Amino acid sequence: MSASVLPYTVKPHPVTGVYSGKLGTWLFLASEVMLFGAFFSTYVLLRVGAPTEGAAVWPTHEQTHLSWKIGGFNTLVLIISSVTMVLAWAQLKMNNFSKARLYLIVTFVLAGLFLVVKLTMEYYPKFEAGIRPSTNIFFAAYFVLTGLHALHIVGGMVVIGYFIGPGASLWKKDPEYFTNRIECTGLYWHFVDLVWIFLFPVLYLL
Amino acid sequence: MADSHADISKHVKLYIGVFAALAGLTIVTVLASQVDFSGPGHVVVALLIAGIKATLVAAVFMHLKWERSGWIWWPLVLCAFFFVVLMTLPTLVATESRDRAPAGTWDTIPVREAPAHSGGNAESGH
């Protein structure tokens, strides 16, 4: 019995007009919008509903201990990683695998840089100072939102790392299929960037 | 989307242009946060800029600009609708009920002030 082959990984599905991996990725991202949307909605509810006076008033910027310089730096890191990700796909479309792989490596390194900054310059000093998610309602929201986002960064690194390493062999067997898989990885990665585009002003600036 | 070599080369130029716009808008976001807008003006401005940045990422990096399949667009339209509902509903409910919350509602939530630490926000400009 021959091994089963996934249909419509390269050619568009006759009904949907797109290859199946792309449709699946977009549907997954739609569910992700709802996941992050629920947490953003909770944040809005807590912030707008916080008392205007008394002990439970929403903390000021001085009390939240968040530096816009660190958040802004990480914003730029993620934006650059989004560009390198889409450039990797473009290089594959132009049949230039070695350049594409280089762009994937840069994306992977930038994702790692984001996490290192997040952990060493934001999370660690806060834990050292005794700040926990249980400290107050702001830090509960901050750690949940940024923690969930950081987990998505880790997930992205696993996938990108796979395509830099063992998954790269697919390029030799089926370059178009490999290119499509990188496009889907890129869709996910741009979504992670997109979430941070909203997290940065909401947590660090407003 | 079209994917000939020449088309992709054009796209690469567009990607670089969008990157420049995103970097510029990030700086604008920071600068705008330091302007003293009246009322909720700073929230509106910050979310407006974030919305423009998100649109650029979705349209160009995620290729929605070239996407023609309704199978992708319709779930996204539905998703956008429910996202707006998720964002609007708490605003309406919370502002309505804020001053009518039963006594002690917020007392169940820890409100300890965070201890000071060196990674603070002294230079935040706020």
Side-chain angles (χ1 to χ4, degrees):
Chain A
M1 188 178 166
S2 63
S4 63
V5 178
L6 283 172
Y8 305 111
T9 53
V10 174
K11 288 183 178 168
H13 191 287
V15 175
T16 63
V18 290
Y19 62 91
S20 297
K22 192 183 207 175
L23 178 63
T25 306
W26 272 113
L27 291 177
F28 167 65
L29 292 184
S31 75
E32 289 278 89
V33 171
M34 291 295 104
L35 173 69
F36 277 99
F39 284 116
F40 269 112
S41 183
T42 308
Y43 180 86
V44 173
L45 181 72
L46 291 169
R47 178 151 189 180
V48 180
T52 48
E53 56 188 26
V57 70
W58 197 258
T60 63
H61 277 287
E62 285 68 32
Q63 291 167 321
T64 60
H65 302 289
L66 291 181
S67 165
W68 65 264
K69 288 181 180 176
I70 298 172
F73 175 79
N74 261 351
T75 305
L76 285 176
V77 167
L78 273 194
I79 289 172
I80 296 168
S81 78
S82 250
V83 181
T84 54
M85 187 73 220
V86 79
L87 287 177
W89 172 81
Q91 290 300 330
L92 290 175
K93 279 285 189 188
M94 294 188 283
N95 270 323
N96 199 336
F97 176 73
S98 55
K99 269 194 180 176
R101 196 178 204 180
L102 188 65
Y103 278 125
L104 284 178
I105 291 169
V106 174
T107 308
F108 185 87
V109 170
L110 288 169
L113 177 63
F114 178 93
L115 282 183
V116 167
V117 169
K118 190 90 216 152
L119 292 173
T120 61
M121 297 178 77
E122 295 208 307
Y123 282 2
Y124 182 71
K126 282 177 184 56
F127 285 129
E128 276 280 281
I131 297 173
R132 304 276 187 276
S134 59
T135 298
N136 60 35
I137 201 71
F138 171 80
F139 282 110
Y142 166 78
F143 280 110
V144 167
L145 280 166
T146 59
L148 183 67
H149 180 263
L151 283 176
H152 278 74
I153 296 272
V154 173
M157 286 181 76
V158 170
V159 177
I160 294 166
Y162 172 74
F163 286 123
I164 293 168
S169 59
L170 182 64
W171 171 257
K172 284 180 185 167
K173 289 182 223 160
D174 192 342
E176 277 188 275
Y177 187 13
F178 182 77
T179 306
N180 285 350
R181 292 185 109 185
I182 293 299
E183 185 179 24
C184 292
T185 308
L187 287 176
Y188 170 82
W189 191 250
H190 303 313
F191 172 78
V192 173
D193 178 26
L194 213 145
V195 170
W196 186 258
I197 282 174
F198 283 98
L199 277 180
F200 171 57
V202 166
L203 294 175
Y204 292 77
L205 300 174
L206 294 179
Chain B
M1 67 184 284
D3 55 2
S4 71
H5 197 293
D7 284 336
I8 298 296
S9 296
K10 279 184 198 168
H11 288 171
V12 169
K13 285 178 188 163
L14 184 59
Y15 297 149
I16 303 300
V18 167
F19 162 67
L22 291 173
L25 285 170
T26 302
I27 295 167
V28 172
T29 310
V30 174
L31 293 176
S33 74
Q34 296 176 10
V35 176
D36 189 19
F37 293 104
S38 60
H42 61 295
V43 177
V44 174
V45 170
L47 293 182
L48 192 68
I49 298 169
I52 295 168
K53 289 168 75 180
T55 305
L56 282 172
V57 170
V60 179
F61 289 171
M62 299 172 91
H63 303 151
L64 279 181
K65 184 177 187 292
W66 298 279
E67 192 57 69
R68 295 289 172 265
S69 172
W71 283 77
I72 285 178
W73 276 108
W74 282 112
L76 287 182
V77 169
L78 202 64
C79 189
F81 170 76
F82 283 111
F83 186 78
V84 170
V85 171
L86 273 176
M87 293 302 113
T88 312
L89 215 54
T91 317
L92 299 173
V93 173
T95 45
E96 273 289 306
S97 62
R98 180 166 56 203
D99 299 324
R100 293 189 282 113
T105 298
W106 283 86
D107 297 344
T108 57
I109 298 166
V111 290
R112 294 194 304 276
E113 188 174 325
H117 76 96
S118 56
N121 195 32
E123 74 282 39
S124 70
H126 292 280

